[in-house]
Amino acid sequence: MGVVGWSLAAIRAGVFLALSVPLSAVFFAMSPVFHLLHMLTDSIMWFFIGKCFIYNISWEDPRIDQRLFRLSESDHVITLCSAGDNALDYILEGAKVTAVDLNPCQIALAELKMVAAQCLPYEEFFAIFALSDTALLRARYFSQLRPKMSSLGQRFWDSYVYRLKNFLYSGSSGFAAWVLFRVIFPLFGLSWIRKAVERGATREEFLREVEMHSRQVKTLCYICDKYIFKGFAAFAGVPKAQLKLGLHRSNNAETIFNIAFLESDLVRDNYFFGGYVLGRWTKECCPRYLKEHNYPKLQKYLQAGNLKLVCSSLDAFLSECADGEFTVASLLDHLDWMNAHQVNREIAHLLPKMDQQRGRLFWRSFSERLHSAPLVWLNPKRVDDTGDRVGMYFSTWIASVADSDYTLVERTQTAHLYQQGLLQNIVTGAKVVSFPFWQAFVKPHLDDSAAINQHQSTMEAFYRFQKEGYDAFRERMLHSRPLLMELIPIRKGGNMVWVDIGGGTARNLEFLPVEVVKKYFKAIYIVDISASLLEIAARRVKACGLDHIVHLVEADCTHPSVWSSLPSPGSVDVVTMSYSLSMIPDKRTAVANAVKLLKPKGKGTLGVGDFFLYNVNDHRLPPHKALLRNAEARFHRWWFANDHVHLLDPPTLRLVTASTETMWDQRFRGPIPFIPLFRPIHGVMLVSTR
């Protein structure tokens, strides 16, 4: 770069620095608006569904899919429809594709592309969908396209065809793209990007321009991370659950910019961002189905009926499908939207419909790791997604149905069955909180010969007077238990043995449907130190009709005598400790016995759901926040200790992980009934034997 070039760059930098302060002030002043939009993200998205399409293009790079799937005419892909672009890409390989979407407007958009490809010559198809020739679309819609469309597509396009101005800036995501690339980019001195793409700049020229405008780029990335991404997530079709997976990262925008604008060729190859920058596609830079040489294949396979569009939830549609029908499930980023229960349910419905030998499940995530523990049991492999032109996904996964010894089954959420009135909750809560003051008066006077220790005496006194309201009250404070029960592994071959230490009332059983318990478990042991709670368990087991499978064991899991009532060491598939480890004084022996029960060499799993003293990332807090967190932790430790609950601290967790491999470690805040602002840390750890 010559002297003139450097002088111009210095002038630009000076002008931008003079403008950056007021620009930053504007965005800071608008931060309450962005915060409100973030709070309403999911509500805004649901408002759009049924009224317009959210995605005007599919935001997953099918080039990665092509490399992994190697599709042929023998394949049948089930996928989420989105804008239909990836579905159209898949059929170019001859595969059958079923594209499902809950939003009828997404189906209508994909159907318009599908019908137009069968009815129009290539130049007209390209002019409409790449160049947004809406006048041509209206001229062809009523005479040629509408008669071949479904009533769903007709209802949508009869009105929307007059409102459409530009395909790439249509829908809510198109609106967000227009604001970002046509308004915010120029505000930050980045209008040169569009000019560079328009003139066909080489990558070397483009990179030099980026270097000259590096301050503007970094400032924009900061503003995007701080305000824009959160505020516009709903318009881009990103729900709060998905956005949350990456909020711990401070450089999301910079990563995306580097991948999309620096590592790929925005002019000739990256049709995702190149299209949004220009507002149109070129014949060189567009999706594969818009390439002229692919058009005959596209028409051939569409006319053969290779693409089926379904307006439905994936769950509902799968109930109509034949077992073993699909060879590939391309789930896009759909699983990011779901909690563990929803993941279990959807994959449980999907797995029987997959070809059991060739079937593969494929998904992307905004998280750098598996975002949901049930997916662990699919034995997924992380995909090398180098060359992905989108850059918005921080991990990509594929799982072969035949490669895992486990399956996913739908779990039961029955917490609503155990509710009681406010007065009953207050009474039960008062018994829990006041126990330290009256325990000495109610402890049972046990015979010296009884094989019961002081801890057992204390626990029996604690539970005897609250056993009837125990489940209803605890549903409101044991927030890790439902998650733990979603993570219990299920072996395909069944014949499993499960030991639930501190299982109390056998409430955990009800998170698995009775038919699942009967199919996959040959024996379940509920071990608890309280006879009162096991009375409730006996009633529950009988009501479920599981007397022949479930064994109730009144024992201290740390006492040597417990082994006379349990399976032999090394024979158990899964051991769970749901809010029990924190109440056991001898944690070392409790953990050692739990691990001793398990099958060796990765075939045994220990799951712990409980109160934790620290969060996973507390050690990364800045000093002033770490000081407050430590003070809070000390208070939590003292408060819980009054009820003989000793929060799981780092030394206890090291006992759990000393001879095991950690598969999952998740912590989160959860409220305590009747105590506002008191939100201790709950967590679930899943470990396997070595």
Side-chain angles (χ1 to χ4, degrees):
M1 186 185 299
V3 175
V4 175
W6 281 113
S7 300
L8 288 173
I11 293 170
R12 289 193 198 100
V15 171
F16 177 72
L17 286 173
L19 293 174
S20 62
V21 173
L23 274 174
S24 299
V26 168
F27 278 96
F28 178 78
M30 291 179 63
S31 60
V33 176
F34 290 120
H35 182 67
L36 179 62
L37 288 172
H38 176 62
M39 289 177 60
L40 298 174
T41 292
D42 293 349
S43 298
I44 294 171
M45 284 186 60
W46 279 105
F47 172 80
F48 288 140
I49 291 175
K51 297 180 177 64
C52 72
F53 49 83
I54 295 175
Y55 310 103
N56 59 345
I57 65 174
S58 298
W59 271 93
E60 290 81 16
D61 190 348
R63 182 176 292 170
I64 307 299
D65 307 29
Q66 297 158 19
R67 189 177 73 220
L68 288 171
F69 298 166
R70 300 187 180 276
L71 297 174
S72 68
E73 293 186 0
S74 65
D75 282 297
H76 189 173
V77 181
I78 185 167
T79 189
L80 282 302
C81 184
S82 185
D85 299 319
N86 286 22
L88 292 172
D89 189 277
Y90 297 156
I91 69 168
L92 290 175
E93 309 301 324
K96 292 181 179 178
V97 178
T98 299
V100 184
D101 209 292
L102 188 64
N103 187 352
C105 307
Q106 299 291 163
I107 297 295
L109 174 60
E111 185 181 20
L112 182 71
K113 296 175 182 179
M114 180 177 73
V115 171
Q118 296 177 71
C119 297
L120 302 179
Y122 171 74
E123 291 299 336
E124 292 188 356
F125 182 76
F126 185 85
I128 291 172
F129 294 103
L131 306 179
S132 293
D133 189 337
T134 55
L136 179 60
L137 172 62
R138 287 188 283 272
R140 297 292 180 265
Y141 173 69
F142 289 99
S143 61
Q144 293 178 253
L145 306 182
R146 188 181 189 278
K148 297 183 181 297
M149 296 184 73
S150 67
S151 58
L152 181 155
Q154 291 173 352
R155 284 195 303 271
F156 178 80
W157 286 105
D158 283 355
S159 60
Y160 198 78
V161 73
Y162 291 108
R163 292 184 279 139
L164 183 69
K165 298 290 191 294
N166 183 306
F167 269 106
L168 284 165
Y169 295 143
S170 63
S172 65
S173 62
F175 165 74
W178 181 84
V179 170
L180 181 62
F181 291 102
R182 292 299 180 92
V183 178
I184 295 176
F185 267 49
L187 276 176
F188 283 85
L190 298 176
S191 54
W192 63 267
I193 291 179
R194 185 161 182 261
K195 294 174 184 176
V197 175
E198 281 182 325
R199 75 169 187 268
T202 64
R203 288 200 65 230
E204 290 73 19
E205 292 170 340
F206 192 85
L207 292 174
R208 282 199 297 270
E209 288 275 9
V210 170
E211 185 180 352
M212 290 169 59
H213 296 87
S214 60
R215 289 187 181 86
Q216 292 94 316
V217 169
K218 289 181 180 178
T219 304
L220 175 62
C221 289
Y222 172 81
I223 295 294
C224 283
D225 274 323
K226 193 76 174 175
Y227 305 110
I228 296 173
F229 280 177
K230 295 178 184 178
F232 280 85
F235 300 95
V238 181
K240 286 175 71 173
Q242 183 173 38
L243 192 64
K244 186 179 179 181
L245 296 175
L247 289 182
H248 62 283
R249 299 186 298 260
S250 60
N251 62 339
N252 288 319
E254 186 177 356
T255 301
I256 294 168
F257 185 90
N258 289 342
I259 291 173
F261 288 75
L262 304 184
E263 296 175 15
S264 68
D265 190 341
L266 203 63
V267 175
R268 297 160 189 83
D269 187 46
N270 192 332
Y271 67 82
F272 299 97
F273 287 93
Y276 272 165
V277 167
L278 287 180
R280 67 180 186 277
W281 282 321
T282 66
K283 287 192 174 180
E284 185 178 20
C285 185
C286 63
R288 275 207 311 165
Y289 70 87
L290 278 167
K291 301 275 188 180
E292 187 170 6
H293 66 273
N294 286 326
Y295 201 58
K297 284 195 294 184
L298 181 69
Q299 290 183 313
K300 171 188 172 183
Y301 290 122
L302 285 175
Q303 289 164 1
N306 279 27
L307 178 57
K308 178 182 179 181
L309 302 175
V310 180
C311 184
S312 168
S313 68
L314 190 57
D315 275 352
F317 172 69
L318 288 169
S319 65
E320 305 171 4
C321 300
D323 286 353
E325 183 173 345
F326 304 106
T327 58
V328 173
S330 179
L331 301 174
L332 309 185
D333 62 348
H334 175 62
L335 295 177
D336 272 4
W337 297 37
M338 301 179 174
N339 60 35
H341 178 72
Q342 293 165 330
V343 169
N344 258 327
R345 182 183 65 204
E346 183 159 292
I347 303 299
H349 292 176
L350 178 60
L351 285 176
K353 311 303 177 183
M354 302 299 298
D355 185 301
Q356 297 303 297
Q357 296 304 314
R358 300 173 57 207
R360 293 158 288 166
L361 280 65
F362 177 69
W363 67 92
R364 293 170 165 89
S365 178
F366 194 51
S367 171
E368 312 96 311
R369 62 185 183 92
L370 281 179
H371 76 285
S372 187
L375 297 173
V376 168
W377 305 117
L378 295 176
N379 192 26
K381 305 295 188 295
R382 186 162 182 173
V383 170
D384 178 6
D385 53 10
T386 303
D388 187 306
R389 294 166 289 183
V390 174
M392 290 190 177
Y393 302 104
F394 287 75
S395 63
T396 307
W397 305 86
I398 192 165
S400 170
V401 175
D403 280 354
S404 176
D405 294 331
Y406 297 91
T407 188
L408 270 64
V409 300
E410 185 173 1
R411 316 295 164 111
T412 304
Q413 287 192 319
T414 56
H416 66 280
L417 296 179
Y418 298 99
Q419 297 179 357
Q420 57 186 2
L422 177 62
L423 179 60
Q424 292 95 326
N425 273 322
I426 292 174
V427 171
T428 305
K431 291 176 183 177
V432 172
V433 174
S434 63
F435 176 70
F437 304 102
W438 50 265
Q439 60 175 309
F441 302 100
V442 298
K443 282 187 182 181
H445 298 284
L446 300 168
D447 188 279
D448 290 339
S449 63
I452 301 179
N453 56 30
Q454 181 65 28
H455 174 59
Q456 184 165 1
S457 175
T458 301
M459 291 297 97
E460 177 58 21
F462 182 66
Y463 290 122
R464 177 189 294 180
F465 296 97
Q466 55 168 296
K467 62 183 180 182
E468 298 297 338
Y470 177 81
D471 284 321
F473 183 77
R474 294 303 175 102
E475 296 293 347
R476 305 177 62 209
M477 65 183 293
L478 305 186
H479 304 292
S480 287
R481 180 163 65 179
L483 178 59
L484 174 63
M485 298 312 299
E486 294 290 346
L487 310 187
I488 286 185
I490 303 294
R491 287 191 178 276
K492 288 179 181 176
N495 255 0
M496 293 181 63
V497 177
W498 169 22
V499 176
D500 191 12
I501 295 176
T505 64
R507 169 72 175 102
N508 290 344
L509 277 180
E510 294 181 325
F511 286 89
L512 291 171
V514 171
E515 58 273 18
V516 168
V517 174
K518 291 179 178 178
K519 179 177 180 180
Y520 291 102
F521 291 90
K522 68 177 181 182
I524 299 174
Y525 295 80
I526 309 294
V527 183
D528 204 277
I529 207 166
S530 169
S532 295
L533 294 185
L534 290 174
E535 287 178 25
I536 305 297
R539 293 183 223 162
R540 182 166 280 142
V541 170
K542 185 175 181 180
C544 293
L546 297 173
D547 309 67
H548 61 296
I549 294 175
V550 180
H551 309 276
L552 304 180
V553 180
E554 181 187 343
D556 180 344
C557 71
T558 65
H559 196 279
S561 62
V562 73
W563 292 102
S564 64
S565 304
L566 292 180
S568 58
S571 65
V572 174
D573 296 277
V574 58
V575 173
T576 52
M577 305 179 80
S578 175
Y579 289 92
S580 57
L581 183 56
S582 59
M583 300 190 77
I584 299 174
D586 185 359
K587 292 177 172 49
R588 181 178 297 277
T589 303
V591 172
N593 285 353
V595 175
K596 185 177 179 181
L597 280 167
L598 292 169
K599 292 178 178 177
K601 298 181 180 178
K603 294 182 179 180
T605 305
L606 169 62
V608 177
D610 219 315
F611 295 109
F612 285 66
L613 187 60
Y614 294 107
N615 218 327
V616 174
N617 294 316
D618 278 353
H619 63 285
R620 298 178 182 173
L621 292 173
H624 65 287
K625 290 185 178 180
L627 189 65
L628 292 174
R629 179 76 264 280
N630 286 332
E632 180 192 41
R634 286 195 294 271
F635 172 73
H636 286 178
R637 190 199 294 269
W638 170 83
W639 192 89
F640 278 99
N642 287 317
D643 278 329
H644 300 277
V645 176
H646 302 281
L647 306 186
L648 304 192
D649 56 12
T652 301
L653 299 182
R654 284 194 289 271
L655 294 176
V656 175
T657 58
S659 59
T660 60
E661 296 288 342
T662 302
M663 303 171 68
W664 192 258
D665 187 354
Q666 181 177 348
R667 320 277 176 84
F668 55 91
R669 299 274 186 165
I672 297 293
F674 308 121
I675 309 179
L677 305 179
F678 186 49
R679 295 173 63 82
I681 295 167
H682 302 254
V684 172
M685 283 191 71
L686 206 65
V687 298
S688 65
T689 51
R690 289 179 180 169

